[in-house]
C-alpha cells in the first residue's frame, strides 16, 4: 500500500511528497494556510501560501510574512504534487486544500460550513479519495436553523431593545461572524463596532466584500450619542469598562455554542443566537458524502463520536490528533 499522502508531524499536517505543511502549528519551511483564524494561520513559517482573499487578514494578523496567493480552483505544482484551493464557506477567503499525487486525491477541509452566508465564498464539495474533515460540532445535538431565521431573531432583539431605550451589545468573533452579521442584518439603526471588529471590516471592505457603514467606538461615543445602537464587539469586550458606556444595555452572543443552554448559562448570557461558521451535524454528513471519499479522517472537535458514526455508515473513518482548538476560543470563530 502507498504511504499516506498527508501525515502528521510534530509541526502539523504534512505532505511528504510535496514537502509542505497545511495549517501547521509550529514553524515550518512552507505552509499552506486555509484561513486567517489564529489556530490555522500561525506566525513563524518561512513561506505562506493562501488564497488572495484570505491573505490581507493574515498579513494584518501576522505582520511581515513571506507569502504568495493562489486563486480558488487554480492548480499549482509543488514538486510532484499538485495543490489547489476550493471555497470552504467558513469565513471570507477560507479554503479547503486539494492535494493530488499520482492520481490519488486528498482534501483537507480546514474549517467549513455548508450553508451559504451571503459573504464568504460558498462551500464547494471536492471529490477525493480521502477527506480530512473538521468536526467542531460533530454531534447530532448540533443542528442549525437556517441563517434567515436566526438573523430575524437578532433583528427582533435589536428592535425591542431600541424601543426600550437600550443599547444592543452583541458579542461575535471579530473575523467572520461579525461581518456575516453585518452583511445580513437589516438597517434598523446605527451600528457601532469595537476596534478589533472595525479593523477587519476595513480590510474586507477594501477587498470589495459588501459591508454596511459602521462607526468605530471612540471615547466620546456612548449610549447617549447613539441611542438604539447595535454594538458589535468580540466576546472578551463584554462585561468590561469599555462596555459600560452603553448602559442601559442588553447583552447577547452569536455562536454555535449558544445552541447549548448550559454554555449560555455559564457565560452569564441571557440571550444567545446559535449562529455558527462551522457545519452542523447534517452539514458535516452532507459534506462527507459529497466528496465521495471512502476514507475519512476526523479532526478538530467531536472526532471520536463522529468517526464512529461514519464507520457505522460503512466508511473507513478514524481520528487525527491536531492542535486546532476547535472550541469557543476567541481565535476560532465558532
Ligand atoms: Zn479552526
Ligand atoms: Zn476558523
Amino acid at each position: 500500500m502507498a504511504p499516506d499522502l498527508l501525515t502528521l508531524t510534530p509541526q502539523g499536517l504534512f505532505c511528504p511528497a510535496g514537502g509542505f505543511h497545511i495549517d501547521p502549528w509550529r514553524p515550518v519551511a512552507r505552509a499552506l494556510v486555509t484561513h486567517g483564524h489564529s489556530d490555522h494561520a500561525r506566525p513563524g513559517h518561512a513561506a505562506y501560501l493562501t488564497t488572495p482573499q484570505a491573505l490581507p487578514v493574515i498579513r494584518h494578523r501576522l505582520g511581515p510574512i513571506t507569502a504568495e496567493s493562489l486563486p480558488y480552483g487554480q492548480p499549482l505544482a509543488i514538486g510532484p504534487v499538485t495543490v489547489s484551493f476550493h471555497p470552504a464557506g467558513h469565513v471570507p477567503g477560507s479554503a479547503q486544500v486539494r492535494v493530488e499525487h499520482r492520481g490519488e486525491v486528498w482534501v483537507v477541509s480546514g474549517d467549513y460550513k455548508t450553508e451559504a452566508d451571503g459573504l464568504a465564498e460558498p462551500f464547494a464539495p471536492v471529490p477525493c479519495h480521502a477527506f480530512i474533515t473538521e468536526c467542531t460540532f460533530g454531534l447530532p445535538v448540533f443542528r442549525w436553523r437556517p441563517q434567515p431565521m436566526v438573523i430575524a431573531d437578532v433583528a427582533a432583539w435589536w428592535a425591542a431593545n431600541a424601543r426600550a431605550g437600550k443599547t444592543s451589545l452583541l458579542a461575535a468573533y471579530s473575523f467572520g461572524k461579525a461581518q456575516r452579521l453585518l452583511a445580513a442584518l437589516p438597517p434598523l439603526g446605527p451600528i457601532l463596532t469595537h476596534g478589533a471588529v472595525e479593523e477587519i471590516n476595513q480590510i474586507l471592505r477594501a477587498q470589495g466584500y459588501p459591508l454596511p457603514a459602521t462607526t468605530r467606538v471612540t471615547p466620546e461615543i456612548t449610549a447617549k450619542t447613539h441611542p438604539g445602537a447595535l454594538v458589535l464587539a468580540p466576546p472578551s469586550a463584554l462585561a468590561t469598562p469599555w462596555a459600560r458606556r452603553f448602559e442601559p444595555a442588553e447583552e447577547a452572543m452569536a455562536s454555535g455554542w449558544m445552541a447549548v443552554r448550559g454554555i449560555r448559562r455559564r457565560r452569564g448570557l441571557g440571550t444567545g443566537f446559535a449562529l455558527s461558521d462551522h457545519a452542523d451535524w447534517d452539514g458535516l454528513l452532507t459534506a462527507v458524502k459529497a466528496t465521495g471519499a471512502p476514507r475519512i479522517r476526523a479532526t478538530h472537535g467531536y472526532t471520536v463520536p463522529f468517526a464512529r458514526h461514519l464507520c457505522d455508515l460503512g466508511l473507513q473513518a478514524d481520528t487525527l490528533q491536531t492542535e486546532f482548538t476547535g472550541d469557543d476560543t476567541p481565535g476560532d470563530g465558532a
Side-chain angles (χ1 to χ4, degrees):
M1 219 172 93
D4 283 350
L5 193 45
L6 294 168
T7 60
L8 214 47
T9 71
Q11 287 75 30
L13 261 184
F14 181 59
C15 177
F20 58 86
H21 287 79
I22 298 174
D23 290 352
W25 42 82
R26 296 205 188 102
V28 300
R30 186 164 207 183
L32 274 59
V33 174
T34 60
H35 66 291
H37 281 148
S38 57
D39 56 327
H40 297 261
R42 304 212 188 204
H45 308 311
Y48 293 75
L49 181 69
T50 189
T51 67
Q53 292 89 341
L55 189 52
V57 168
I58 291 173
R59 280 198 195 281
H60 167 74
R61 294 194 149 182
L62 298 185
I65 53 169
T66 301
E68 283 179 292
S69 64
L70 179 67
Y72 287 123
Q74 192 172 301
L76 174 74
I78 302 181
V81 175
T82 303
V83 300
S84 53
F85 291 128
H86 303 269
H90 173 57
V91 293
S94 67
Q96 307 173 76
V97 185
R98 183 184 186 275
V99 181
E100 181 175 358
H101 183 232
R102 293 182 179 156
E104 190 179 348
V105 177
W106 285 48
V107 169
V108 178
S109 74
D111 291 343
Y112 68 96
K113 71 173 178 288
T114 47
E115 183 186 25
D117 68 9
L119 193 66
E121 299 77 7
F123 178 83
V126 182
C128 55
H129 301 104
F131 184 45
I132 299 181
T133 178
E134 67 124 320
C135 53
T136 304
F137 292 107
L139 287 179
V141 293
F142 294 109
R143 287 199 160 91
W144 313 140
R145 295 158 68 227
Q147 171 169 308
M149 293 173 74
V150 182
I151 291 296
D153 287 351
V154 179
W157 171 78
W158 179 11
N161 293 339
R163 275 196 305 275
K166 290 177 174 174
T167 310
S168 299
L169 265 174
L170 183 55
Y173 295 115
S174 55
F175 170 38
K177 190 69 56 63
Q179 292 76 29
R180 177 184 179 189
L181 286 160
L182 277 173
L185 278 166
L188 298 176
I191 300 177
L192 307 175
T193 47
H194 184 278
V197 172
E198 192 55 34
E199 279 173 19
I200 303 293
N201 288 354
Q202 284 172 5
I203 292 166
L204 295 184
R205 273 195 201 101
Q207 290 179 250
Y209 287 101
L211 294 174
T214 49
T215 303
R216 186 194 203 113
V217 175
T218 50
E220 60 279 6
I221 288 181
T222 65
K224 284 205 179 66
T225 61
H226 291 74
L230 175 75
V231 183
L232 273 174
S236 58
L238 259 61
T240 64
W242 180 88
R244 242 172 256 147
R245 76 189 71 200
F246 299 111
E247 285 172 5
E250 289 289 331
E251 293 186 349
M253 179 162 177
S255 163
W257 298 108
M258 294 299 106
V260 183
R261 193 170 297 145
I263 293 172
R264 215 156 70 202
R265 211 181 301 121
R266 272 203 297 286
R267 292 198 161 225
L269 288 164
T271 309
F273 300 107
L275 189 72
S276 179
D277 284 328
H278 293 265
D280 67 358
W281 175 256
D282 294 323
L284 291 169
L285 292 175
T286 305
V288 163
K289 281 183 196 139
T291 64
R295 183 163 178 208
I296 310 293
R297 310 205 74 183
T299 176
H300 205 305
Y302 292 102
T303 51
V304 172
F306 187 63
R308 193 181 302 131
H309 181 76
L310 295 180
C311 288
D312 290 345
L313 294 178
L315 294 165
Q316 188 198 336
D318 63 5
T319 65
L320 202 55
Q321 203 62 44
T322 58
E323 292 185 22
F324 306 119
T325 48
D327 57 19
D328 56 345
T329 54
D332 196 54

